[in-house]
Amino acid sequence: MNKLSTMQQDPIAIALSVLKAGGLVGLPTETVYGLAADAKNETAVCKIFTAKGRPADHPLIVHIGREEEVHTWAIDIHPAAFKLMQAFWPGPLTLILPKHPNVSKLITGGQDSIGIRMPRHPLALQLLQAFGSGVVAPSANQFGHISPTRPEDVAEELQERVDFILPGGPTEIGIESTIVDARKPPFTLLRQGMITPRMLAEVLGEEVQLKARASKLRVSGNLPSHYAPYTPLVLLTTAELEAFIKAPLKAAAIILSYSKIELPPSFRPIAMPKSPEAYAHELYARLRQADHEQAELILVEQPPSGGLWEAIHDRLQRAAAKN
Ligand code: TXA
Ligand code: MG
C-alpha cells in the first residue's frame, strides 16, 4: 500500500487497525512525528527499537488521549503533577512519573519511572481517543538523526519499517516536547521545549531545577550528539560567521542565518526566521534540506538566547556535537 497517498478509507480507521494488529503508525503530533505502537503489545513495542535502531535501554513516551488514562500507566502521582497536566495537556509537555507496576519495563528501559504526554494535534487526539489506550511513540527518525516534521520525512527515515503514516501536515511546533521529572518536588527539567521553565514555574509556584544536577535518568536527548544531520554542522556567533565568510573558502557550505548577512555567491544561504516559534517550526526541515543538497558543511549562526530560544540552542548544540 502507498503509505502517503490519500485513500478512500478514513485514515484514522486505517491507523487504528494497524495499531490493533501490532503494526507501526507514523503519528503526527504538534511537536514532531512519532512512531507509534500499542503500548500494551510487547512485540509491537520491540519493533520500534528495531525500526529506529534505538538501544533497548532508552525509554519511550506513552501518549494518551484522555487525562484519566494516566492512572493506567503511573501511580503515586504528586498533586503538583496534576496541576501541570491541567495547565498544559493536551500539549507539548512530557511528565516523568512513578511507573504503574503492571506496565512492561520494555517501555521504560528497565526503569521504575515512565514518561507520559497527551499530544494536541487533532488527528493524534482522535486516534488515541478511538484507540482508548496508550501508544508509545518516540520521534519517527533513525536514532540520533533529525526528528521528522512532515509525513514525507517519516517515509524517508523509516521506509518499509512503518506500516502507515497518518497524514497530518507539517507539525505546528517543530521541536520535541519539554520533559519534566515530576515524581517529587522540586521538579526537574530534563529536556527543553516550547513550554519554558518560566511557564512551568508560574503554574507550580516554584522554580523547576535544571537538569545539570539531575538524576541518572536516561534521556536520549541528553546524549551530547542527537537531533543531528548527516552533514557536519558548526555553530558560529554572528562575528565568527562574518569572519569565516571573508576567509578564503575551502568547503561547500550551507549557511543558516537569521540576521541579514551579505553572503558571497559561493555560499548557499538559508534565511531562518527571527521569532523563536517560527525558527523552531523551520529548523528540522531546513537541516534536512541541507543534507539533501549534499553540502560539505552546515554553518549555523547562533540565534539569540533566553526564553523560547533556549530549546533551539539545546537542539543546535546537540546537532553540532557530532563533529
Ligand atoms: O515531542 C515529543 O516528545 C515526541 C513526540 C513524538 O511525542 N517524542 C519524542 O520521543 O521526542 P523520543 O523517544 O524521541 O524522546 C523522548 C525522550 C527520550 O530522550 C527518552 O529517553 C525520554 O524521553 N524518556 C522517556 N521516558 C523516560 C523516563 N521514564 N525517564 C527519563 N526519560 C524518559
Ligand atoms: Mg527522538
Side-chain angles (χ1 to χ4, degrees), residues 145-167:
H145 194 229
I146 311 164
S147 299
T149 53
R150 301 165 300 193
E152 59 270 30
D153 303 340
V154 180
E156 180 181 87
E157 290 284 330
L158 293 158
Q159 296 169 20
E160 75 293 339
R161 296 183 295 280
V162 57
D163 298 299
F164 177 67
I165 300 166
L166 190 55

Side-chain angles (χ1 to χ4, degrees), residues 32 52 54 138-141 144-145 147 176 191 220-221 226-227:
V32 298
K52 278 184 59 89
R54 178 171 172 141
S139 51
N141 50 280
H145 194 229
S147 299
E176 305 78 1
R191 182 171 71 185
S220 48
H226 217 73
Y227 316 118

Side-chain angles (χ1 to χ4, degrees), residues 82-96:
F82 285 113
K83 277 198 199 173
L84 293 180
M85 291 174 211
Q86 271 137 34
F88 298 112
W89 281 5
L93 177 69
T94 298
L95 296 176
I96 306 299

